[in-house]
């Protein structure tokens, strides 16, 4: 997924107090839209009415696993995640934070930082943290560190994901035993609804009659499944090892909305687990009321946020920036010795 730039989360206390603690009006036309990029309005999809974050968390506290989808780099998403972590922890001291944003092969780097053996800059480099870690994920990790909460590096190794996308799913069979054993036993388990959604999202105007394109799309989907299956397995492993703990997982919204992706694969592996999902929905300033009709099925709760400003308006500059952003991936060596 594309990682967007993010300013530091600063001076937001007053904004938060007014962003979610709203009374429940009868009609969405009278709801107050988020006034800044830091604010959100939480909607219970059962009652279809706004609820305070405190009320939301009381409901979430009953679930075995809570999953908060995000738009990567959005201030409101990350602020909401941090607040939910703090409020859940106040209700239950046994919380594990699970993060898509760290890969399982860097769990030791993350653990060393949480234990105080390394500094933040060392962790960021050693764990290959995302570029906007300090502005986006630092608050959650620091809360976990200061309260001695475990943090799970939940995602699949980046090199493995890229190579599955390039050369296909058989790549993992060539991995050394120790690397293969870290991955799920069924790394490409999927569901038809997720497959349809993913193919629809990436195909765009490209026809699928070209065998090369079809094979490439199939490999890209397998790489996506490797991420989702790995995250589902890591969450389940953490839960099995700590059955009294609640898991809070943060991830890109595509991995969790409509309870597809990681969520569907988690529930496929452990049907008895209760999983609650929060999903973001954009509410633009020029829209009189939120566009909710097509979004009600995205989660148990929706949180409405402002869209981020466009990164580019010039097509050529956007294309150049995208090439720069991903040029390192095209040089990935997928030969396994």
């Amino acid at each position: 997924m594309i990682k967007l730039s993010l300013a530091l989360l600063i001076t937001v206390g007053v904004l938060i107090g007014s962003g979610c603690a709203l009374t429940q009006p009868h009609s969405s036309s009278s709801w107050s839209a988020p006034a800044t990029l830091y604010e959100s309005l939480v909607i219970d999809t059962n009652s279809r009415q706004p609820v305070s974050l405190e009320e939301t968390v009381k409901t979430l506290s009953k679930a075995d696993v809570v999953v908060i989808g995000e738009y990567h780099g959005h201030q409101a998403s990350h602020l909401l995640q941090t607040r939910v972590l703090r409020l859940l922890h106040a209700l239950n001291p046994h919380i594990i934070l699970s993060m898509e944003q760290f890969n399982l092969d860097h769990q030791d780097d993350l653990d060393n930082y949480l234990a105080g053996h390394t500094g933040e800059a060392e962790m960021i480099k050693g764990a290959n943290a995302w570029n906007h870690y300090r502005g986006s994920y630092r608050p959650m990790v620091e809360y976990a560190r200061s309260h001695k909460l475990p943090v799970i590096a939940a995602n699949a190794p980046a090199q493995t994901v890229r190579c599955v996308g390039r050369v296909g799913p058989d790549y993992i069979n060539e991995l050394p035993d120790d690397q293969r054993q870290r991955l799920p036993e069924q790394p490409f388990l999927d569901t038809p609804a997720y497959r349809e959604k993913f193919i629809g999202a990436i195909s765009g105007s490209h026809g699928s009659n070209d065998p090369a394109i079809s094979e490439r799309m199939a490999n890209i989907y397998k790489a996506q499944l490797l991420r989702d299956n790995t995250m589902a397995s890591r969450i389940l492993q953490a839960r099995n090892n700590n059955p009294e703990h609640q898991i809070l997982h943060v991830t890109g919204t595509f991995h969790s909305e409509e309870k597809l992706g990681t969520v569907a694969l988690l529930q496929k592996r452990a049907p008895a687990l209760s999983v609650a999902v929060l999903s973001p929905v954009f509410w633009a300033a020029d829209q009189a009321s939120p566009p909710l009709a097509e979004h009600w099925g995205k989660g148990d709760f929706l949180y409405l946020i402002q869209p981020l400003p466009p990164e580019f308006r010039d097509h050529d500059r956007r294309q150049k920036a995208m090439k720069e952003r991903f040029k390192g991936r095209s040089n990935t060596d997928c030969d396994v010795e």
Side-chain angles (χ1 to χ4, degrees), residues 185-222:
E185 183 177 347
Q186 295 179 284
F188 305 115
L189 194 65
D190 76 343
T191 59
Y194 190 57
R195 185 187 314 122
E196 181 179 353
K197 180 180 179 181
F198 185 85
I199 297 301
I202 68 168
S203 61
S205 60
H206 297 292
S208 59
N209 293 329
D210 185 332
I213 293 176
S214 298
E215 182 180 359
R216 177 63 172 153
M217 287 177 58
N219 289 343
I220 292 172
Y221 180 54
K222 288 297 195 299

Side-chain angles (χ1 to χ4, degrees), residues 14-84:
V14 174
L15 298 175
I16 302 313
S18 61
C20 295
L22 301 176
T23 57
Q24 296 187 4
H26 178 71
S27 171
S28 64
S29 62
S30 62
W31 296 353
S32 297
T36 73
L37 285 171
Y38 291 105
E39 296 179 73
S40 58
L41 174 65
V42 180
I43 309 296
D44 184 331
T45 58
N46 183 42
S47 68
R48 299 196 172 187
Q49 292 295 325
V51 289
S52 71
L53 196 58
E54 288 73 16
E55 291 177 90
T56 302
V57 169
K58 285 182 182 178
T59 301
L60 296 178
S61 67
K62 301 171 186 176
D64 299 320
V65 179
V66 174
V67 182
I68 306 180
E70 67 176 49
Y71 291 121
H72 299 318
H74 198 297
Q75 292 93 331
S77 283
H78 303 307
L79 191 53
L80 179 82
Q81 290 164 340
T82 302
R83 294 191 68 211
V84 169

Side-chain angles (χ1 to χ4, degrees), residues 1 72 84 102 110 117 136 143 146 148 153-154 166 172 175 178 257 276 305 308-311 319 323 328:
M1 286 196 176
H72 299 318
V84 169
F102 291 99
L110 188 54
H117 302 319
S136 298
Y143 184 90
S146 64
K148 302 187 184 308
R166 284 186 60 192
I172 67 167
L175 293 172
D178 61 328
E257 63 187 21
I305 56 180
L308 288 168
E311 285 192 294
Q319 291 296 103
K323 288 180 180 178

Side-chain angles (χ1 to χ4, degrees), residues 11-327:
T11 322
V12 295
V14 174
L15 298 175
I16 302 313
S18 61
C20 295
L22 301 176
T23 57
Q24 296 187 4
H26 178 71
S27 171
S28 64
S29 62
S30 62
W31 296 353
S32 297
T36 73
L37 285 171
Y38 291 105
E39 296 179 73
S40 58
L41 174 65
V42 180
I43 309 296
D44 184 331
T45 58
N46 183 42
S47 68
R48 299 196 172 187
Q49 292 295 325
V51 289
S52 71
L53 196 58
E54 288 73 16
E55 291 177 90
T56 302
V57 169
K58 285 182 182 178
T59 301
L60 296 178
S61 67
K62 301 171 186 176
D64 299 320
V65 179
V66 174
V67 182
I68 306 180
E70 67 176 49
Y71 291 121
H72 299 318
H74 198 297
Q75 292 93 331
S77 283
H78 303 307
L79 191 53
L80 179 82
Q81 290 164 340
T82 302
R83 294 191 68 211
V84 169
L85 172 61
R86 178 177 62 81
L87 291 170
L88 282 176
H89 185 233
L91 296 176
N92 178 6
H94 304 297
I95 297 287
I96 295 174
L97 176 61
S98 171
M99 302 184 70
E100 175 201 355
Q101 296 78 16
F102 291 99
N103 301 334
L104 64 84
D105 50 331
H106 294 297
Q107 183 70 61
D108 289 346
D109 298 292
L110 188 54
D111 288 344
N112 284 334
Y113 176 67
L114 295 171
H117 302 319
T118 57
E120 184 182 66
E122 295 169 295
M123 181 276 290
I124 289 173
K125 183 176 181 180
N128 195 27
W130 288 12
N131 290 337
H132 50 85
Y133 166 82
R134 287 188 171 94
S136 298
Y137 307 108
R138 173 194 265 168
M140 279 181 280
V141 172
E142 288 307 301
Y143 184 90
R145 185 173 70 90
S146 64
H147 292 85
K148 302 187 184 308
L149 304 181
V151 181
I152 303 301
N155 211 344
Q159 165 88 358
T160 305
V161 171
R162 285 195 291 267
C163 288
V164 167
R166 284 186 60 192
V167 303
D170 289 342
Y171 173 80
I172 67 167
N173 297 326
E174 306 300 323
L175 293 172
D177 288 344
D178 61 328
Q179 294 182 34
R180 177 62 184 90
Q181 288 170 7
R182 291 180 180 180
L183 299 176
E185 183 177 347
Q186 295 179 284
F188 305 115
L189 194 65
D190 76 343
T191 59
Y194 190 57
R195 185 187 314 122
E196 181 179 353
K197 180 180 179 181
F198 185 85
I199 297 301
I202 68 168
S203 61
S205 60
H206 297 292
S208 59
N209 293 329
D210 185 332
I213 293 176
S214 298
E215 182 180 359
R216 177 63 172 153
M217 287 177 58
N219 289 343
I220 292 172
Y221 180 54
K222 288 297 195 299
Q224 178 81 352
L225 288 176
L226 179 60
R227 293 189 184 97
D228 284 302
N229 278 285
T230 301
M231 288 189 282
S233 295
R234 296 280 284 171
I235 293 168
L236 184 57
Q237 181 183 41
R239 174 72 182 183
N240 288 341
N241 291 340
N242 304 275
E244 77 284 5
H245 283 63
Q246 184 179 43
I247 313 294
L248 172 61
H249 180 66
V250 295
T251 187
T253 187
F254 196 91
H255 292 288
S256 60
E257 63 187 21
E258 301 174 61
K259 296 197 174 181
L260 296 175
T262 299
V263 176
L265 297 170
L266 175 61
Q267 295 190 305
K268 204 165 186 177
R269 286 174 165 83
L273 278 183
S274 59
V275 183
V277 173
L278 290 79
S279 297
V281 172
F282 285 137
W283 184 359
D286 60 356
Q287 293 176 300
S289 59
L292 291 175
E294 67 272 33
H295 298 297
W296 287 121
K298 284 191 172 181
D300 301 284
F301 293 90
L302 306 178
Y303 63 97
L304 309 182
I305 56 180
Q306 282 191 14
L308 288 168
E311 285 192 294
F312 298 94
R313 295 191 185 277
D314 182 277
H315 175 75
D316 292 338
R317 294 180 70 179
R318 181 182 183 277
Q319 291 296 103
K320 183 178 179 180
M322 291 294 288
K323 288 180 180 178
E324 285 294 314
R325 187 175 294 176
F326 293 105
K327 68 179 182 180

